[in-house]
Amino acid sequence: MNIQVEYKDTAGTITNQTHRLTRLAFAKHLAIAGQGYAPRPQKLIRTIAMFFHYSNYFQRQAFNNDRFSEPPIQLSDPTEKGQFSNLAGKAIADFLSKRIDQSIFTVNYEAAMRLRGLPLNVGRPDLLAFKQNAMFALEAKGYSGGHGNMTTHKIQSQTGGIPVNFSVACVSYNLYNNVQCKYHDPFNDNIQYDNELLRELTRNYYKGLSEFLNQKFFEYREFNLQGETFYEVELSFRNFEKLFPDEFPFRPILHFEILDFYRPRLILPKKIRDYAEDGLTSETKPFVFETSEQEYNTYIDNDRVGLRIRR
């Protein structure tokens, strides 16, 4: 999918950009974007189930034609469509924050508020993002029709109680015809970079993911890419049977046959145990997945977490 983006910088200058989003990249950002707490093996069922539940909305033919698909009319549900549009908007915002602003880590804004002990009964944006020299907030929207009032979205991006260097209103719209996005970057005053908040949030994030490196439940191997070492963790129905023996007294047929066909693997950084212990800091450089490496069977995000499927 090619996403046509109207980018408005802090000076108010507008440029048009095109960013390529693969289905594998979308799956990663859909699963992770906006999670309030660290992804863990126990959440694997929910993540896989969500992917299958919404699979009618990102069928290959429509996706390759720069739009999301819709279920057959007999399965049509306006509420579900609205929910998916919202999730897609968050996933695209998360993805574009990595491509446009080179963020290394994003998290649900509410999770950061909880860590800081801030009241939750106030307006707030969707995501909090960290790059090497700045923190910023994102208000993410996803619409089947037009983009709505950008001024209102920008105001929402500047709410919440966590000081940030700038805030972004990222609105994806026309999702089921020809996906477009407005990525507007209103400016806020400079603030002190909160390294401790980044450390605490990323410690939780990588600690949860490091639980996949438990050989009792998962098989994994090392591989090298672009000068760094990663783990490739097998995800199959056998992992579910070991991890959730009570929930799987028999082998499910359809969904787990699909898992066998695609053989999905979770990609984690070799340094994940260090990240789980110490977290990231403003000195941590994002991993830039080079264009030449972007085969359709592999995607690695700036946070060094990715997915791989059978060729």
Side-chain angles (χ1 to χ4, degrees), residues 36-198:
Y37 305 96
R40 304 178 62 185
Q42 287 77 5
K43 294 184 178 181
L44 201 55
I45 288 181
R46 177 181 177 274
T47 301
I48 296 294
M50 183 176 73
F51 182 82
F52 285 121
H53 179 75
Y54 290 112
S55 61
N56 280 323
Y57 292 91
F58 45 94
Q59 294 296 305
R60 187 183 305 275
Q61 183 175 356
F63 199 91
N64 291 343
N65 283 285
D66 305 333
R67 63 181 179 86
F68 291 102
S69 50
E70 297 185 67
I73 189 65
Q74 61 269 27
L75 299 178
S76 179
D77 181 343
T79 300
E80 180 186 81
K81 182 178 177 181
Q83 292 169 342
F84 174 77
S85 297
N86 179 56
L87 289 170
K90 286 183 181 180
I92 292 172
D94 188 54
F95 171 74
L96 291 178
S97 79
K98 310 295 179 63
R99 293 296 171 269
I100 295 175
D101 279 309
Q102 291 79 51
S103 67
I104 187 173
F105 177 71
T106 58
V107 68
N108 179 285
Y109 194 96
E110 183 178 314
M113 294 175 72
R114 289 181 183 276
L115 281 180
R116 283 290 172 259
L118 298 174
L120 301 179
N121 59 342
V122 296
R124 54 188 175 273
D126 292 294
L127 303 173
L128 182 66
F130 297 82
K131 56 188 297 185
Q132 282 193 286
N133 60 355
M135 300 165 50
F136 61 100
L138 291 106
E139 173 65 7
K141 299 290 186 185
Y143 296 124
S144 58
H147 52 72
N149 189 319
M150 289 303 297
T151 299
T152 301
H153 302 323
K154 287 193 289 185
I155 291 172
Q156 180 68 25
S157 75
Q158 294 171 305
T159 59
I162 300 173
V164 292
N165 296 103
F166 61 93
S167 56
V168 172
C170 181
V171 181
S172 300
Y173 60 102
N174 207 21
L175 294 179
Y176 305 96
N177 186 28
N178 184 18
V179 176
Q180 299 177 63
C181 182
K182 290 184 180 290
Y183 191 98
H184 288 194
D185 181 4
F187 181 75
N188 282 0
D189 291 334
N190 285 332
I191 53 94
Q192 184 176 358
Y193 195 100
D194 196 336
N195 257 312
E196 186 52 41
L197 180 60
L198 174 60

Side-chain angles (χ1 to χ4, degrees), residues 15 33 39 58 72 84 109 121 127 157 172 184 193 195 202 224-226 260 263-264 268 270 291 293 302:
T15 56
F58 45 94
F84 174 77
Y109 194 96
N121 59 342
L127 303 173
S157 75
S172 300
H184 288 194
Y193 195 100
N195 257 312
T202 50
N224 295 309
L225 183 68
Q226 295 179 206
D260 277 351
R263 290 188 58 207
L268 300 173
K270 177 71 179 294
T291 303
E293 299 285 357
N302 289 18

Side-chain angles (χ1 to χ4, degrees), residues 45 236-257 259:
I45 288 181
S236 73
F237 77 91
R238 288 173 289 276
N239 305 129
F240 291 91
E241 290 178 327
K242 292 177 183 177
L243 197 58
F244 307 103
D246 295 333
E247 287 85 347
F248 290 95
F250 58 90
R251 177 180 171 178
I253 300 174
L254 177 60
H255 290 174
F256 291 93
E257 291 292 347
L259 287 181

